[in-house]
Amino acid sequence: MWLLLKRGHTTWSVDRTQMEQIAAGRIPRDLESPVLRLGSFNHTFQSENFCQLYRRRLRNGLTYSVVTQPKPENAITIAVSSRVLFSMEREQQIYERQGMEEYLKYQLEHESEPFSPGPAFSFVKALEAVNSRLRELYPQSEELFDVVLVTNNHAYVGLRLINTINHHHLLIERFCMTGGNSPIGYLKAYHTNLYLSADSTKVREALQEGIAAATMFTPEKMKEVSDTQLRVAFDGDAVLFSDESERIFKAHGLDKFFEHEKAHENKPLDHGPLKGFLEALGKLQRKFFDKGLRMDCPIRTYLVTARSAASSGAPKGPMLEKIRPHLFFDDQMFHVEGAAELGTVACHVPYGIAQRLAKK
């Protein structure tokens, strides 16, 4: 549950001390962040009692509204691993080199130190910006993005993650700590529309179970992206569509590829692993279109592919540098690495013929 405190067009986020000050009728001067998070205080402030307290005590034109998380079956659920939402490279090195005990010890010793943002951070912030717009237009609708933090950590690390989420003012209510077990069952239970992870093995497992998934890579220097408009770029073959055409190209070359395309030009390609996620984005786009906001829609999607004779095999990084998407999905590491070199957060979709050829 979220409680939004507003005066005019200004909203605030407060910590526990500030909550008590506001409840007493005193408004702290240093409130500046856009939302008030109740999740980590529910053990102290029962939500209904807390709301009643605010009804009695709010002064000076300060108003509130309660926002609940959407039901999983109604939401567009984005599951992100802790290692892509936050930068945890040092912690991962300790785990790999010194083992679990030293890793847990380090996490406990640093539980008050927030993690810095990872490659998925800007994407999640953009999802929250879209949700804010949707709630303004459709106050009762549960067709929203719902972010689930998935980690194979044990509960010992949970406090540091919660502290980090609060520090960065992220609106994440759902946590899934698997304790080293496979996340697949949890992803299915959450009706996950997209799973992002740094673990390629888990991503492959998710894809095999029919869950849209991709392995995220962190550019050395990430390009600045929009914080008010969500931009997602996709490759075509083996990402949005099946790898049918790519199999022809890999096996018989470009000429046969074009012959095949010409012969089947009126037959739609079968769906690829991320088609469902694109359709979910399109569904939310239409909600803005229905309000006359086609040109002001905060969701933008792009198809970035190289299918012509002139562009076959051409790097996509320069085009992506212009688009500046929050995420780019491709099935070939050549394009993923090229995009990352130019500062785009690129995600590898290990699906289709390109993966079998890469193994050879």
Side-chain angles (χ1 to χ4, degrees):
M1 178 178 290
W2 310 98
L3 192 65
L4 308 182
L5 296 183
K6 298 184 179 181
R7 184 189 292 125
H9 296 290
T10 306
T11 56
W12 293 272
S13 171
V14 303
D15 59 25
R16 179 175 175 176
T17 300
Q18 292 168 327
M19 281 183 182
E20 293 169 346
Q21 290 175 343
I22 293 174
R26 301 190 301 275
I27 309 300
R29 294 182 178 179
D30 57 347
L31 301 184
E32 58 185 7
S33 180
V35 292
L36 165 63
R37 175 173 176 74
L38 277 181
S40 59
F41 300 102
N42 279 344
H43 65 285
T44 303
F45 298 100
Q46 295 296 320
S47 57
E48 181 58 30
N49 291 337
F50 191 65
C51 291
Q52 290 177 358
L53 182 65
Y54 268 84
R55 291 189 185 101
R56 293 196 303 269
R57 299 291 183 85
L58 290 180
R59 298 290 186 271
N60 302 325
L62 202 64
T63 61
Y64 73 90
S65 61
V66 177
V67 179
T68 58
Q69 292 296 98
K71 297 181 179 67
E73 59 268 25
N74 298 329
I76 296 175
T77 301
I78 311 296
V80 295
S81 76
S82 55
R83 285 173 54 200
V84 298
L85 183 57
F86 304 121
S87 177
M88 302 177 67
E89 292 181 4
R90 175 167 176 74
E91 289 76 9
Q92 187 65 16
Q93 288 175 356
I94 292 174
Y95 172 72
E96 292 174 353
R97 297 173 183 176
Q98 302 179 41
M100 178 62 77
E101 292 302 319
E102 288 299 315
Y103 170 80
L104 293 176
K105 179 182 176 183
Y106 180 87
Q107 294 281 34
L108 290 171
E109 290 174 349
H110 295 80
E111 67 181 19
S112 62
E113 299 176 15
F115 296 110
S116 58
F121 187 89
S122 294
F123 171 63
V124 169
K125 294 295 286 185
L127 298 181
E128 294 180 355
V130 174
N131 275 356
S132 179
R133 294 280 304 276
L134 284 168
R135 285 185 171 117
E136 291 175 0
L137 297 172
Y138 301 93
Q140 305 302 319
S141 176
E142 289 195 340
E143 290 183 326
L144 301 162
F145 292 110
D146 187 17
V147 178
V148 178
L149 181 62
V150 179
T151 174
N152 61 1
N153 282 303
H154 294 266
Y156 301 108
V157 188
L159 183 56
R160 190 179 183 193
L161 289 172
I162 292 172
N163 288 339
T164 300
I165 286 170
N166 289 334
H167 173 80
H168 292 294
H169 308 291
L170 294 173
L171 308 184
I172 298 177
E173 282 274 309
R174 304 190 199 278
F175 297 79
C176 178
M177 296 185 180
T178 68
N181 297 319
S182 169
I184 299 302
Y186 303 99
L187 296 177
K188 289 182 175 180
Y190 281 120
H191 302 270
T192 301
N193 296 90
L194 178 67
Y195 172 49
L196 299 172
S197 175
D199 189 327
S200 59
T201 300
K202 289 186 174 66
V203 166
R204 284 188 170 86
E205 186 180 358
L207 287 171
Q208 289 170 0
E209 293 295 324
I211 299 169
T215 308
M216 293 196 78
F217 293 87
T218 307
E220 288 189 14
K221 187 175 181 180
M222 286 183 279
K223 289 287 185 182
E224 185 175 339
V225 293
S226 173
D227 56 2
T228 59
Q229 186 180 75
L230 172 65
R231 300 176 187 173
V232 185
F234 301 87
D235 179 34
D237 295 308
V239 176
L240 293 180
F241 318 125
S242 73
D243 66 340
E244 170 191 339
S245 296
E246 194 160 344
R247 289 198 304 269
I248 300 294
F249 171 68
K250 296 294 186 184
H252 305 289
L254 196 58
D255 290 340
K256 289 292 184 182
F257 165 80
F258 285 124
E259 288 180 17
H260 177 269
E261 294 296 283
K262 181 64 176 177
H264 297 82
E265 63 183 5
N266 294 319
K267 179 184 177 183
L269 288 163
D270 199 1
H271 70 274
L274 264 65
K275 182 186 177 185
F277 174 55
L278 175 62
E279 290 175 337
L281 293 179
K283 185 177 181 180
L284 291 188
Q285 282 180 313
R286 287 191 292 275
K287 292 175 76 71
F288 289 98
F289 298 167
D290 291 343
K291 294 291 186 177
L293 297 172
R294 180 176 292 272
M295 300 304 295
D296 191 34
C297 179
I299 303 173
R300 289 284 188 271
T301 57
Y302 305 82
L303 176 62
V304 182
T305 189
R307 277 179 140 252
S308 69
S311 63
S312 180
K316 301 177 182 179
M319 177 61 72
L320 293 166
E321 192 177 18
K322 300 295 184 183
I323 295 172
R324 296 204 173 192
H326 292 86
L327 299 180
F328 166 59
F329 296 96
D330 203 290
D331 67 309
Q332 299 190 56
M333 283 302 301
F334 166 76
H335 292 301
V336 170
E337 292 167 353
E341 286 176 4
L342 294 179
T344 296
V345 175
C347 306
H348 182 229
V349 182
Y351 177 86
I353 186 67
Q355 316 315 311
R356 295 191 288 274
L357 293 176
K359 289 180 181 179
K360 292 180 182 179

